[in-house]
Amino acid sequence: MSDHEVVLVPGDGIGPEVASAVQRILKSADAPVSWIERQAGLAALALGDDVLPDSTLDAIRLHRVALKGPCTTPVGEGFTSVNVKLRKKLDLYAAVRPVRNLAGVTSRYSGVDLVVVRENTEGLYSGVENEITPGVVTSLKVATESACTRIARWAFAYARRRGRGQVTVFHKANIMKLTDGLFLRLARRVHEEEYPEIGLDTLIIDAGCMKLVQDPAQFSVLLMENLYGDVVSDLCAGLVGGLGVVPGANLGEEMAVFEAVHGSAPDIAGRDVANPLALLMSAVMMLNHLAETTGDDRCRHAAERIKAGYDSALAAGEKTRDIGGTLGTGAFADAVIARL
Ligand code: ATP
């Protein structure tokens, strides 16, 4: 079998340096991938292209799998988020973020092993904002029956496939009775009609956040709409050591884009201090996805080697500064490679 062609979007800020560390590790682990590099974000603008060039979208449509670094989003002005636009354009409706304790990464909690499933295409991320009159602006929250149903189905199907017994929906249907009400109602319907053997719990999101910080080990699969999923993903990252250790996948019916939960962190870009682990773990998810969708065991084998490599590096205290170590981006990649 030949190598799998995978699109690499290095992104902005720390993106290129963590992406090149990850590429080196995958190469050393004999991962059977060949990279098709495309640009997005400020990197694309600098080349005189659109922030999200058609050539990048077309490459992902063609190859169906991508590994993506973060793209910088201007705050309060400027172009809309490239990350959000890409997920919408390719209809990558499910964001999946596994959050686990790692041996060698100290955190306040132990026994955390949960997965955040975030609806990726609507909610308050509709981008429909209006100025009604000077001094009065609105932002439109959108919920559709089709998007709420498919994300609920995705979460329950995932729970069944992975042997996870419980799905917890975070919502605010007491206040947003129509939008969050629909999300909650359809999650209940999918549960009753299609996945009755899985446990379903529903929590108003404020109480859910309190429970998360009291005892995160009680949760298994968390299901929520777009904005809540964004916020809760970072909260959950904080439970296990921070943004440097949480990977992610954006999945649609036909395509999959793997990217870390963290952003482009311009404050530390270009200084060889960023932790490449979150993107590396995302690449491991990507290899497992390739193994599942193509039946190529070489991908699973490479994923296992890389996971064992970073687990043993972390356990030996070889880690970057954000998680209490002393290594730079490149040195951490070297440490993982030495243990493959
Ligand atoms: P963006 O505008 O792209 O979202 P941001 O700086 O607002 O970028 P994040 O990059 O998500 O948001 O991260 C917030 C902070 O967390 C960063 O400023 C950085 O200090 C830290 N951080 C994030 N990712 C990493 C990483 N991989 N390694 C080390 N520190 C990180």
Side-chain angles (χ1 to χ4, degrees):
M1 203 182 262
S2 56
D3 286 357
H4 305 277
E5 293 189 324
V6 166
V7 178
L8 176 78
V9 182
D12 302 320
I14 60 173
E17 54 198 293
V18 292
S20 95
V22 168
Q23 279 181 297
R24 276 207 295 132
I25 296 169
L26 263 64
K27 186 161 193 272
S28 302
D30 295 325
V33 295
S34 62
W35 303 102
I36 312 289
E37 190 167 324
R38 291 288 181 273
Q39 301 301 329
L42 298 178
L45 273 187
L47 293 172
D49 222 327
D50 186 68
V51 273
L52 184 54
D54 283 341
S55 56
T56 301
L57 291 168
D58 289 343
I60 301 174
R61 287 189 188 105
L62 178 67
H63 298 289
R64 292 167 183 254
V65 178
L67 184 67
K68 176 182 163 299
C71 296
T72 302
T73 304
V75 176
E77 57 184 10
F79 58 82
T80 48
S81 163
V82 175
N83 310 308
V84 172
K85 208 163 151 188
L86 184 136
R87 294 170 200 156
K88 282 190 187 167
K89 286 237 173 195
L90 300 178
D91 204 21
L92 304 167
Y93 66 88
V96 185
R97 283 101 183 250
V99 180
R100 278 188 214 103
N101 285 114
L102 293 171
V105 180
T106 35
S107 75
R108 289 169 195 273
Y109 303 93
S110 60
V112 181
D113 178 12
L114 60 85
V115 181
V116 179
V117 178
R118 163 187 179 187
E119 202 291 320
N120 237 354
T121 63
E122 53 183 30
L124 269 173
Y125 278 61
S126 65
V128 184
E129 294 194 305
N130 287 304
E131 183 177 41
I132 304 299
T133 186
V136 182
V137 291
T138 61
S139 188
L140 192 69
K141 177 160 175 162
V142 177
T144 64
E145 197 165 316
S146 58
C148 295
T149 303
R150 70 179 176 173
I151 193 67
R153 271 203 185 113
W154 198 95
F156 281 107
Y158 177 87
R160 181 181 280 169
R161 210 164 55 240
R162 297 294 171 110
R164 290 179 174 265
Q166 179 89 3
V167 173
T168 307
V169 178
F170 279 13
H171 65 90
K172 194 81 189 175
N174 51 333
I175 304 298
M176 279 158 280
K177 294 177 195 291
L178 282 183
T179 48
D180 281 23
L182 184 71
F183 192 90
L184 184 58
R185 192 152 45 79
L186 292 169
R188 286 201 172 110
R189 183 197 287 173
V190 168
H191 170 245
E192 268 166 39
E193 293 179 0
E194 300 171 39
Y195 298 90
E197 85 282 8
I198 312 261
L200 170 65
D201 203 5
T202 63
L203 281 173
I204 294 179
I205 186 159
D206 41 353
C209 287
M210 181 197 65
K211 288 186 181 220
L212 263 177
V213 296
Q214 275 181 331
D215 176 19
Q218 69 186 291
F219 294 102
S220 182
V221 177
L222 297 178
L223 167 63
M224 60 202 82
E225 62 89 85
N226 212 338
L227 177 64
Y228 306 155
D230 179 47
V231 177
V232 170
S233 295
D234 276 34
L235 187 159
C236 288
L239 302 174
V240 296
L243 286 168
V245 300
V246 179
N250 299 294
L251 306 170
E253 296 304 335
E254 312 207 318
M255 285 162 274
V257 175
F258 296 81
E259 66 179 330
V261 169
H262 63 71
S264 61
D267 54 330
I268 56 167
R271 292 174 29 210
D272 190 46
V273 295
N275 189 352
L277 187 56
L279 190 65
L280 181 61
M281 294 166 86
S282 308
V284 166
M285 291 174 79
M286 179 187 86
L287 289 169
N288 285 324
H289 170 84
L290 285 168
E292 273 165 35
T293 51
T294 67
D296 185 353
D297 280 338
R298 296 174 304 164
C299 294
R300 197 174 311 281
H301 184 60
E304 282 164 7
R305 280 180 76 192
I306 295 168
K307 184 172 181 305
Y310 69 65
D311 274 346
S312 95
L314 293 173
E318 293 173 342
K319 49 191 180 179
T320 47
R321 284 174 221 167
D322 57 307
I323 48 176
T326 56
L327 300 184
T329 313
F332 176 73
D334 293 338
V336 174
I337 289 169
R339 287 167 183 277
L340 285 175

